[in-house]
Amino acid sequence: MLLKVPNFSLEKTLSLGQTFVWDRDGNYWTSYVDKPVLVSQIDGKNLEVFGNVTSAEISKMLGLNDRIDDINAEIDKDSTIDRAINFSTGVRIVDDGLWPATLGFVLSIQSNVPLILRRIKAMSMFYGDKGETNGFRLYKFPSYERIFNGGEEALQRFKLGFRKEFVFSAARAFVERDIANLGKKDVEAELLKIKGVGEKVLDCIRLYGMHELSSFPIDVWIRRAVTREYSHLIKGKDTYRNMRDAMVGYFGRYSGYAQAYLYNYFRLNKIK
DNA sequence: CTTCAGGGACCGG
DNA sequence: CCGGTCCCTGAA
């Protein structure tokens, strides 16, 4: 399948550090959550999609349905975000799905991106089914059923440290409370009951696992960006909630894109 | 070798 | 609300 997607960069989108379900393999990117998928953008324009996946499914995964020009116009409120927007041309907010985002961001606590991806890969190879598409061998994203049924002690081998009980708590919650099939409001309340899911991780799950584009999670890079450029907007102390509410109030319903652009811009340029 | 930060959260006070 | 603590890894 060939998809025409103007103003889109597969490379920028998937190497941003926002996704935990895509893995690079040469000029290709692979993913196996429900089914094996393989994509590439060799000519820098058209998107080649392999595997038993519909265009609707791949578009959802990669955020291709977002009206990016309208979004960029709406959040382009000052020179800082304007630079970040232009620097990040082609980026989309992915939708990894509820469980992958939950596992990924619980594993992200006090960790860097390569380390998180390595942990997930190790877990995929241990728990996941093998898949294949166009000659590429894939391991399925570790399911909460497998993790829960394997028991907490089995997680020891991954050296997750204090995150071990967080991961098991998350898997248990998805199994026992069927979080994947709840309504939106109930989902957030249930997610917060998981050990290892606080406000920041929840905001990440909302943005990258539920495609709630108004979400504005604040990690260390975003905190530095906000402190440098937007401190005048914050009322009161620099608490997580004060900063986030100020930024969402400022950027509005597409704050998540502003967050992704600022993260990309400050992190890649190492602006501290 | 030691020190410290990395897409924070939890617990006790 | 606040400060200390938690596990592991890799860079400095």
Side-chain angles (χ1 to χ4, degrees), chain A residues 154-216:
Chain A
L155 293 170
Q156 189 67 44
R157 77 191 66 236
F158 304 116
K159 301 180 178 180
L160 306 178
F162 60 78
R163 303 165 199 82
K164 182 179 73 171
E165 70 168 309
F166 292 176
V167 168
F168 196 73
S169 170
R172 176 197 292 277
F174 271 73
V175 170
E176 294 185 344
R177 293 186 254 138
D178 196 22
I179 291 180
N181 293 306
L182 292 176
K184 217 174 231 179
K185 272 293 177 191
D186 295 327
V187 167
E188 295 185 16
E190 290 301 322
L191 288 173
L192 278 175
K193 293 179 187 171
I194 296 171
K195 283 184 194 289
V197 178
E199 279 192 291
K200 189 271 179 182
V201 168
L202 179 62
D203 280 338
C204 288
I205 298 171
R206 292 179 67 237
L207 183 56
Y208 301 112
M210 302 166 74
H211 215 64
E212 287 281 327
L213 296 183
S214 64
S215 184
F216 192 96

Side-chain angles (χ1 to χ4, degrees), chain A residues 9-239:
Chain A
S9 167
L10 186 66
E11 175 68 24
K12 280 189 183 179
T13 296
L14 295 185
S15 55
L16 177 62
Q18 58 171 325
T19 179
F20 303 115
V21 304
W22 289 97
D23 190 22
R24 182 207 298 285
D25 195 332
N27 289 323
Y28 294 83
W29 289 87
T30 62
S31 177
Y32 185 12
V33 179
D34 293 321
K35 35 194 173 182
V37 184
L38 176 66
V39 299
S40 72
Q41 192 179 28
I42 293 175
D43 61 2
K45 296 177 115 179
N46 291 330
L47 201 61
E48 288 184 89
V49 184
F50 306 91
N52 183 22
V53 61
T54 67
S55 62
E57 288 170 326
I58 196 72
S59 293
K60 181 175 163 63
M61 293 177 78
L62 297 176
L64 302 180
N65 297 320
D66 295 343
R67 299 169 56 89
I68 200 65
D69 292 336
D70 295 342
I71 290 170
N72 290 349
E74 191 163 323
I75 64 175
D76 193 2
K77 292 180 177 292
D78 57 71
S79 60
T80 299
I81 190 65
D82 188 66
R83 279 195 293 276
I85 290 170
N86 289 320
F87 183 77
S88 308
T89 300
V91 165
R92 295 293 185 284
I93 304 275
V94 299
D95 187 350
D96 277 3
L98 191 59
W99 165 248
T102 301
L103 178 60
F105 285 105
V106 162
L107 287 174
S108 82
I109 299 169
Q110 284 290 299
S111 306
N112 53 42
V113 175
L115 181 56
I116 302 163
L117 295 174
R118 207 180 329 133
R119 286 174 182 148
I120 292 194
K121 186 135 193 172
M123 294 179 74
S124 298
M125 295 181 74
F126 183 74
Y127 292 108
D129 296 322
K130 287 180 192 171
E132 190 273 338
T133 186
N134 284 63
F136 288 79
R137 295 197 174 184
L138 312 181
Y139 289 92
K140 193 169 183 176
F141 191 89
S143 70
Y144 48 85
E145 293 97 339
R146 289 281 174 86
I147 293 172
F148 180 66
N149 292 334
E152 187 168 353
E153 288 314 303
L155 293 170
Q156 189 67 44
R157 77 191 66 236
F158 304 116
K159 301 180 178 180
L160 306 178
F162 60 78
R163 303 165 199 82
K164 182 179 73 171
E165 70 168 309
F166 292 176
V167 168
F168 196 73
S169 170
R172 176 197 292 277
F174 271 73
V175 170
E176 294 185 344
R177 293 186 254 138
D178 196 22
I179 291 180
N181 293 306
L182 292 176
K184 217 174 231 179
K185 272 293 177 191
D186 295 327
V187 167
E188 295 185 16
E190 290 301 322
L191 288 173
L192 278 175
K193 293 179 187 171
I194 296 171
K195 283 184 194 289
V197 178
E199 279 192 291
K200 189 271 179 182
V201 168
L202 179 62
D203 280 338
C204 288
I205 298 171
R206 292 179 67 237
L207 183 56
Y208 301 112
M210 302 166 74
H211 215 64
E212 287 281 327
L213 296 183
S214 64
S215 184
F216 192 96
I218 299 175
D219 57 61
V220 291
W221 285 99
I222 292 296
R223 177 174 289 273
R224 288 196 278 252
V226 170
T227 301
R228 280 181 63 114
E229 305 291 342
Y230 299 103
S231 58
H232 60 286
L233 297 174
I234 302 166
K235 303 177 181 101
K237 295 187 175 181
D238 285 353
T239 63

